[in-house]
């Protein structure tokens, strides 16, 4: 590859045992072409205008922009309150903008104070982002446009605001509404973003081995009102969220909006997160949650914040709220909880199987960390789970220690099977993050569990695995990713 050297002043510098000429970062990106390695030497790069890649790389000759240790890109921007849970668009600031381009890689950088976005993508594909530290912003990455696909984000780190978990009320970030339905804009609305946000993108997104912390949402992918009637699979398809760490997430680590199909959420670690998996008002299906581990040692919000209960699943409230069209499966996860498993709402087609679900003993914890009477589910009048065909909900083979388990399922006829009730802790030490099961619960299953995949094939669990994510000291791998077969999916009946 041709190497183009970049410095913060564009002067000659001693690099790799030789005096070499350099370009400024803006000059190098403006002149970039396929087969170039744009290499940034150590220094702080002050950016006041977006850096826009004017042309694409080639499949075998990508454009690569790579920093060396000590590279800091400082945007120096202040928060933009006009962007809140919304598409920032190409007219707002981002350090890097990718518009109608492809085959570009960005690696090994530190980005600071990029409000509203560090990276903005529009109708672009085959873009890769690796080993990037991002501090502050409404979004670390935002993607837009139906021609956007093939986005890979790996080994990146994001810290949005370290005061959010403990010091800012949830309703000071999320806009409210008055009695007439008018939006009430709140003080910290510019924090209502995500590590990876999107609007109307096709999909094929891989988010792997990232460290995502002190933020409002982890991955939040939406569909605009104009496109809600598009065939299922047009948007938010084939999303892989593997082997990440989510810590101090004030709202949802994983939140598809409107429609999602073929989402794989596997082998992630969740530490002090409010509600793990959102299915609120989401059509689609073929969502897989497996080998994830969840724990807590803190509760969010300042005094008086009532939005700090949390749950594993966030469901829609039924009625006119969209529901899944296809099956999904949550299996072999390990949960150490202070919160309810599901608080309220309704879903269909969900198989919840072979998880290890330990509710902590609130009497053994510091006061107020969890309610002394924490329930497994919310009020049965507000939670609707049905075993009715063609998309029954089933809970089968879960190991749980809540004192009301399995009787808590009595209102949900036919939903529960093969319950494994336990007393006392399930894990060696959930509070300390030691998730091996106690010897008494290291019991495998008599049969395998069959899971329908989005190409019509069947994957079966290993019946020798114990409940939860860990067997014999090793996190299970789960199924291999299979892309959605749209012909197969669209041949299925939609309710």
């Amino acid at each position: 590859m041709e190497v183009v050297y970049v410095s913060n002043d564009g002067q000659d510098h001693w690099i790799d045992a030789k005096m070499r000429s350099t370009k400024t970062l803006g000059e190098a990106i403006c002149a970039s072409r396929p087969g170039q390695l744009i290499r940034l030497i150590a220094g702080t790069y002050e950016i006041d205008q977006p850096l826009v890649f004017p042309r694409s790389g080639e499949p075998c000759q990508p454009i690569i922009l790579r920093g060396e240790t000590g590279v800091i890109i400082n945007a120096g921007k202040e928060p933009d309150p006009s962007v809140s849970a919304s598409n920032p668009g190409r007219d707002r600031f981002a350090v890097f903008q990718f518009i109608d381009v492809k085959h570009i890689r960005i690696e090994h950088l530190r980005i600071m104070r990029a409000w509203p976005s560090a990276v903005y993508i529009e109708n672009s594909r085959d873009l890769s982002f690796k080993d990037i530290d991002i501090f502050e912003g409404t979004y670390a990455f935002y993607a837009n446009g139906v021609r956007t696909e093939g986005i890979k984000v790996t080994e990146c780190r994001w810290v949005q605001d370290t005061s959010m978990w403990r010091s800012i009320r949830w309703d000071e970030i999320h806009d409210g509404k008055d009695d007439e339905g008018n939006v009430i804009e709140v003080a910290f609305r510019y924090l209502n973003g995500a590590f990876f946000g999107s609007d109307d993108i096709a999909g094929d997104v891989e988010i792997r081995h990232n460290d995502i912390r002190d933020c409002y949402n982890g991955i939040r992918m939406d569909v605009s009102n104009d496109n809600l009637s598009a065939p299922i699979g047009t948007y938010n398809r084939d999303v892989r969220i593997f082997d990440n760490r989510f810590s101090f997430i004030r709202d949802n680590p994983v939140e598809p909006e409107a429609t999602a199909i073929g989402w794989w959420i596997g082998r992630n670690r969740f530490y002090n997160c409010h509600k793990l998996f959102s299915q609120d008002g989401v059509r689609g299906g073929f969502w897989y949650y497996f080998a994830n581990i969840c724990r807590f040692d803190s509760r969010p919000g300042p005094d008086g914040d009532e939005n700090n209960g949390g749950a594993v699943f966030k469901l829609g409230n039924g009625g006119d709220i969209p529901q899944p069209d296809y099956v999904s499966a949550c299996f072999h996860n390990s949960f150490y909880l202070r919160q309810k498993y599901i608080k309220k709402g309704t879903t269909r087609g969900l198989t919840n199987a072979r998880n290890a679900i330990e509710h902590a003993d609130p009497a053994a914890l510091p006061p107020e960390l969890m309610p002394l009477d924490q329930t497994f589910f919310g009020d049965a009048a507000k939670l609707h789970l049905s075993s009715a065909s063609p998309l029954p909900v089933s809970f089968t083979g879960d190991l749980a220690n809540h004192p009301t388990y399995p009787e808590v399922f009595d209102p949900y006829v036919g939903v529960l099977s093969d319950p494994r009730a336990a007393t006392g802790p399930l894990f060696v030490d959930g509070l300390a993050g030691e998730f091996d099961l106690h010897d008494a619960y290291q019991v495998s299953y008599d049969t395998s569990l069959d899971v329908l995949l989005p190409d019509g094939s069947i994957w079966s669990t290993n019946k020798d695995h114990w409940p939860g994510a860990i067997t014999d000291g090793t996190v299970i791998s789960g199924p291999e990713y299979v892309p959605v077969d749209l012909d197969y999916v669209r041949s299925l009946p939609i309710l």
Side-chain angles (χ1 to χ4, degrees):
M1 300 188 76
E2 175 192 1
V3 179
V4 176
Y5 293 97
V6 171
S7 68
N8 56 7
D9 60 11
Q11 303 299 310
D12 292 346
H13 288 266
W14 188 260
I15 306 171
D16 297 339
K18 182 178 179 179
M19 189 64 72
R20 302 179 189 271
S21 60
T22 70
K23 294 182 177 182
T24 66
L25 182 53
E27 290 170 343
I29 290 177
C30 186
S32 60
R33 59 178 184 267
Q36 282 188 338
L37 169 60
I38 301 171
R39 182 178 161 196
L40 283 64
I41 68 171
T44 299
Y45 296 73
E46 306 287 346
I47 301 296
D48 59 6
Q49 295 295 322
L51 298 166
V52 183
F53 281 82
R55 59 189 63 84
S56 300
E58 299 292 342
C60 296
Q61 289 190 305
I63 298 170
I64 302 174
L65 187 148
R66 179 184 299 149
E68 63 181 40
T69 300
V71 169
I72 298 173
I73 297 180
N74 182 18
K77 300 298 182 183
E78 295 297 323
D80 182 352
S82 69
V83 177
S84 178
S86 58
N87 184 346
R90 64 167 68 183
D91 294 330
R92 290 186 176 89
F93 179 84
V95 169
F96 295 106
Q97 287 191 345
F98 301 86
I99 301 172
D100 294 311
V101 293
K102 54 190 174 183
H103 311 308
I104 299 174
R105 291 161 41 186
I106 308 292
E107 302 173 353
H108 199 53
L109 302 170
R110 173 173 289 197
I111 299 174
M112 302 178 66
R113 298 188 63 79
W115 296 90
S117 311
V119 174
Y120 175 78
I121 301 163
E122 183 177 309
N123 287 322
S124 297
R125 61 185 178 89
D126 189 21
L127 305 179
S128 174
F129 305 92
K130 182 179 180 180
D131 189 21
I132 304 175
D133 290 341
I134 303 172
F135 298 90
E136 300 188 46
T138 304
Y139 297 101
F141 300 88
Y142 199 92
N144 182 37
V146 69
R147 298 196 305 278
T148 293
E149 58 185 329
I151 309 299
K152 182 181 292 188
V153 182
T154 59
E155 298 176 31
C156 294
R157 291 155 294 277
W158 191 43
V159 176
Q160 187 181 29
D161 187 320
T162 55
S163 68
M164 190 188 316
W165 178 258
R166 208 176 291 281
S167 302
I168 303 176
R169 291 168 55 102
W170 186 91
D171 58 10
E172 292 178 314
I173 301 170
H174 193 288
D175 287 344
K177 290 186 177 180
D178 62 21
D179 294 339
E180 297 178 354
N182 300 309
V183 173
I184 302 173
E185 295 186 356
V186 293
F188 296 97
R189 66 192 312 267
Y190 53 82
L191 294 175
N192 190 349
F195 171 72
F196 186 92
S198 70
D199 200 36
D200 295 339
I201 72 169
D204 187 14
V205 174
E206 181 177 331
I207 299 173
R208 187 187 296 260
H209 290 296
N210 300 286
D211 188 354
I212 302 163
R213 60 180 56 228
D214 292 292
C215 61
Y216 195 67
N217 289 307
I219 290 87
R220 182 180 181 274
M221 299 174 60
D222 205 349
V223 177
S224 65
N225 291 336
D226 292 340
N227 291 315
L228 293 179
S229 61
I232 292 176
T234 305
Y235 303 106
N236 292 347
R237 182 180 70 248
D238 292 328
V239 176
R240 289 91 74 197
I241 303 170
F242 289 142
D243 304 299
N244 302 284
R245 290 183 179 271
F246 296 89
S247 308
F248 300 98
I249 311 298
R250 196 65 177 85
D251 199 31
N252 305 114
V254 179
E255 187 174 22
E257 298 275 13
T259 181
I261 189 162
W263 281 47
W264 300 67
I265 301 99
R267 301 183 303 273
N268 301 285
R269 296 281 182 135
F270 298 95
Y271 171 53
N272 290 331
C273 298
H274 181 229
K275 291 184 178 178
L276 302 190
F277 311 130
S278 176
Q279 296 183 4
D280 185 3
V282 186
R283 296 191 60 194
F286 295 103
W287 307 320
Y288 306 99
Y289 314 90
F290 58 89
N292 300 289
I293 294 175
C294 165
R295 69 185 178 101
F296 75 94
D297 61 13
S298 179
R299 189 174 184 176
D303 287 345
D305 189 348
E306 297 180 356
N307 294 285
N308 61 8
V312 173
F313 279 99
K314 177 185 177 184
L315 303 182
N317 289 330
D320 295 331
I321 303 296
Q323 291 293 314
D325 302 279
Y326 309 111
V327 298
S328 57
C330 175
F331 54 95
H332 279 298
N333 301 282
S334 292
F335 300 110
Y336 176 70
L337 302 178
R338 63 171 184 84
Q339 66 264 55
K340 298 175 177 66
Y341 200 76
I342 306 173
K343 182 178 180 180
K344 60 182 179 179
T346 183
T347 191
R348 58 191 184 186
L350 171 66
T351 296
N352 195 92
R354 308 189 179 192
N355 302 289
I357 306 168
E358 177 181 336
H359 276 87
D361 177 3
L365 298 173
E368 312 301 330
L369 195 53
M370 68 179 290
L372 292 174
D373 58 350
Q374 182 62 279
T375 58
F376 189 93
F377 288 146
D379 185 346
K382 297 181 180 180
L383 176 62
H384 307 282
L385 305 174
S386 172
S387 61
S389 294
L391 287 174
V393 172
S394 67
F395 280 65
T396 178
D398 292 319
L399 171 68
N401 74 332
H402 195 278
T404 67
Y405 181 84
E407 291 80 8
V408 68
F409 281 87
D410 288 350
Y412 313 107
V413 178
V415 168
L416 182 68
S417 64
D418 189 25
R420 296 189 175 191
T423 57
L426 306 183
F427 308 116
V428 170
D429 194 336
L431 194 66
E434 298 178 20
F435 276 87
D436 292 292
L437 289 175
H438 284 296
D439 291 348
Y441 306 124
Q442 296 177 6
V443 181
S444 58
Y445 293 85
D446 294 332
T447 61
S448 298
L449 174 76
D450 291 339
V451 178
L452 179 65
L453 300 183
D455 63 350
S457 65
I458 299 291
W459 177 83
S460 299
T461 63
N462 184 338
K463 66 183 181 64
D464 294 328
H465 285 331
W466 306 332
I470 295 177
T471 294
D472 264 337
T474 301
V475 176
I476 67 173
S477 58
E480 293 293 326
Y481 161 70
V482 174
V484 172
D485 182 334
L486 280 179
D487 289 337
Y488 165 72
V489 169
R490 289 174 177 171
S491 72
L492 299 175
I494 296 179
L495 299 183

